[in-house]
Amino acid sequence: MSDLVYAWLGDGPVPYHEGWDLQKRLHERRVADEVADTVLLLEHEPVYTAGKRTGRWDRPTSDPGAPVVDIDRGGKITWHGPGQLTVYPIVKLADPIDVIAYVRMLEEAILRTIAEYGLTGKRVEGRTGVWLDADPERGLIERKVAAIGCRIARGVGMHGLALNCDNDLTWYDRIVPCGISDAGVTTLSAELGRPVTVADVRPRVERHLADVLGATEYSHTDGTALLAGAAA
């Protein structure tokens, strides 16, 4: 992979279906080699997205205060919204396609990003995403700081990762996030005891994601224009 284009979709939260429609449009164009590998970066309006493995018991039991959208990625239910950096790499994977290796690349980009903040993340066997160790002295159980859920279709990826920066964690109280009931969810801000915003984190994620994907260079394009074009 020699080139990567980053598209920031603007400082306002993006409705989920608008972002998903843009993903699908770009996916078709990437399959046809009409565009370069493109990574969408955004914050969503509050939404719960339910992957293919979501069970009835994982879903909200009462009015969750945000839409619940069934989507075509793997995994179970999670939340997206303001204060969380959501990243959708629409990238063509090399043959033979190794989905697990691709997920590990996304995890590695987050591990390197949070290391810049002095946090030691880890992988947990049998679970995707990036985790922090339990800290009994602080009364903290093992907790997840970034979620990953992907779909590979015709050799091109969709969906991706979500890194909690300074989002409201009470949204997770209404679901079993990612189907995991024996661990917690956290943000960079909660861990560091100071505000860490999406704007702070985004350039670091871009740099590390380009590196793990093997891009020799990357550039930026106007994501708001892409979004407007998808809605037209």
Side-chain angles (χ1 to χ4, degrees):
M1 195 177 301
S2 60
D3 195 28
L4 196 62
V5 178
Y6 285 112
W8 170 243
L9 300 192
D11 294 331
V14 176
Y16 186 77
H17 280 288
E18 289 186 19
W20 196 11
D21 288 345
L22 177 56
Q23 280 195 77
K24 289 183 280 190
R25 174 171 164 259
L26 282 175
H27 182 274
E28 290 295 325
R29 297 191 66 198
R30 186 66 191 97
V31 168
D33 286 324
E34 296 175 355
V35 295
D37 288 329
T38 302
V39 181
L40 306 178
L41 303 104
L42 65 149
E43 295 176 72
H44 272 304
E45 291 183 354
V47 63
Y48 294 99
T49 63
K52 294 178 179 179
R53 294 177 51 242
T54 302
R56 176 174 46 84
W57 48 88
D58 299 321
R59 296 173 179 267
T61 55
S62 58
D63 180 11
V68 179
V69 180
D70 290 282
I71 61 173
D72 56 358
R73 63 162 169 78
K76 297 193 176 186
I77 195 166
T78 193
W79 174 87
H80 298 300
Q84 180 192 74
L85 176 60
T86 302
V87 182
Y88 296 135
I90 314 299
V91 299
K92 184 167 287 189
L93 304 184
D95 286 324
I97 291 172
D98 186 336
V99 177
I100 293 176
Y102 176 60
V103 169
R104 296 293 174 261
M105 288 182 196
L106 300 183
E107 291 171 344
E108 183 62 26
I110 298 303
L111 288 166
R112 296 182 188 182
T113 297
I114 69 172
E116 292 196 26
Y117 293 93
L119 295 174
T120 302
K122 67 173 187 175
R123 297 179 176 93
V124 174
E125 186 175 354
R127 295 176 173 177
T128 61
V130 172
W131 299 78
L132 300 176
D133 273 325
D135 187 345
E137 290 187 4
R138 296 168 59 202
L140 297 174
I141 61 174
E142 191 174 62
R143 56 223 180 274
K144 192 175 198 177
V145 71
I148 293 175
C150 305
R151 178 181 182 229
I152 310 300
R154 290 181 287 168
V156 175
M158 292 180 66
H159 304 290
L161 63 90
L163 174 60
N164 291 339
C165 300
D166 61 351
N167 47 290
D168 180 357
L169 289 172
T170 63
W171 287 102
Y172 292 99
D173 296 341
R174 305 163 203 185
I175 59 171
V176 181
C178 301
I180 296 166
S181 58
D182 60 347
V185 183
T186 191
T187 66
L188 295 179
S189 297
E191 294 300 321
L192 297 171
R194 60 178 175 85
V196 179
T197 68
V198 167
D200 295 330
V201 169
R202 193 173 83 232
R204 293 172 169 84
V205 170
E206 289 181 358
R207 177 162 38 87
H208 291 302
L209 184 60
D211 188 46
V212 300
L213 291 177
T216 57
E217 59 182 28
Y218 61 88
S219 60
H220 295 84
T221 192
D222 183 358
T224 57
L226 288 177
L227 195 61

